[in-house]
Amino acid sequence: MRTALVGGGASGIGHAVAERLAGSGDRVVITGRRADALEAAAARLSGAVGDGPAREVHALVSDMADPAAAAAAMDKVDDRYGGLDVLVLNAGGPPPGGILDLDDARWREASELLLLGPLRLARLAMPGMAKRGFGRVVFVTSTAVRQPQPDLAASVVLRSAVTAAAKLLSREFAAAGVTVNCVAPGATSTERRTQILTNRARAANLGFDELDAQDLAHIPAGRAARPAEIAAAVAFLASDDAAYINGTVLTVDGGRTETI
């Protein structure tokens, strides 16, 4: 049985990824900052579904933005499960704001959450993966890296850095069976999207439904993604079938990104 660590597993994309991996037979450890939400999510995801196999999902409280949390989390995973096979680095987005609207403190906070925290976990997990001859690291980023959104400056800048870091990491242990890739979601039906559109609607003095319709009009598929659709992409990159896919970005956005 493989062991997978999934960030932000209490809700949204992280929760959908945990459900998908657990349904495939992986032991899944979901992390996040709120113990109550994590425990409830783990309880929902655990156990058998229909005639399928029992699903094993555990909760581990860990704040990706806390420098001390990464080592403590990896120690617990090593002690309880003997190491990590799949690492899904998924973190919630920072507060919105333009490139010159964010002060130094907010940049530092966002950097700990989106860049430094994930890199700490990768640094701790990847050598063990290489030693065991198998590993999958997937960073969940955003299509805003390729098509920047001005009011999400911290996410655009820092997830761009994450994408570059993933490319560099993909070369480190590739010969030992460890791959590193990114999944870049577009508009996805999560609380995060609702928050972003609410802020934009308020700033533009528009109703939420009107702005939602305007946003969806730019997506060829005509709708936002379901979290399960993003999870399917993550699960594929974490699978044996993706052994020769390394250092790439898989965009899941219904065709919205306009660049080639």
Side-chain angles (χ1 to χ4, degrees):
M1 177 183 288
R2 300 189 314 178
T3 299
L5 182 70
V6 179
S11 62
I13 291 172
H15 189 273
V17 170
E19 183 173 25
R20 182 72 179 236
L21 294 178
S24 298
D26 291 351
R27 175 192 297 115
V28 179
V29 181
I30 57 174
T31 67
R33 291 175 294 180
R34 294 175 48 206
D36 55 346
L38 278 176
E39 294 290 350
R44 284 195 304 271
L45 294 172
S46 295
V49 177
D51 296 329
R55 300 189 301 191
E56 185 178 345
V57 182
H58 305 274
L60 175 59
V61 178
S62 181
D63 183 357
M64 196 173 291
D66 179 359
M74 288 305 304
D75 284 345
K76 289 179 181 178
V77 170
D78 288 341
D79 290 344
R80 295 177 185 176
Y81 313 116
L84 195 62
D85 304 295
V86 176
L87 176 60
V88 180
L89 294 160
N90 172 62
I99 187 71
L100 299 181
D101 296 332
L102 306 176
D103 59 23
D104 288 357
R106 292 174 71 186
W107 277 110
R108 291 189 189 97
E109 291 172 2
S111 180
E112 288 288 351
L113 175 67
L114 295 183
L115 178 61
L116 298 179
L119 286 180
R120 288 187 197 101
L121 283 171
R123 186 165 60 238
L124 291 166
M126 291 181 70
M129 291 177 175
K131 185 176 180 180
R132 291 184 292 274
F134 177 90
R136 299 287 185 267
V137 179
V138 182
F139 290 86
V140 179
T141 59
S142 170
T143 54
V145 168
R146 297 177 61 198
Q147 193 158 311
Q149 300 178 37
D151 61 338
L152 300 178
S155 181
V156 171
V157 171
L158 293 169
R159 293 193 196 280
S160 295
V162 167
T163 303
K167 186 66 174 179
L168 292 173
L169 283 172
S170 71
R171 303 177 63 88
E172 292 291 317
F173 301 110
V178 181
T179 66
V180 182
N181 293 288
C182 296
V183 168
T188 307
S189 297
T190 62
E191 291 181 10
R192 170 71 173 170
R193 180 173 183 269
T194 300
Q195 292 168 356
I196 290 171
L197 290 182
T198 298
N199 289 334
R200 289 176 179 173
R202 187 180 300 117
N205 197 28
L206 296 172
F208 177 89
D209 290 342
E210 182 179 0
L211 198 63
D212 180 39
Q214 290 180 10
D215 187 59
L216 296 180
H218 293 288
I219 304 174
R223 63 175 178 85
R226 297 183 293 273
E229 292 173 313
I230 311 301
V234 174
F236 168 66
L237 291 176
S239 72
D240 291 336
D241 290 337
Y244 203 61
I245 300 175
N246 190 35
T248 195
V249 178
L250 178 52
T251 301
V252 188
D253 69 347
R256 180 173 189 166
T257 302
E258 296 176 357
T259 56
I260 296 175

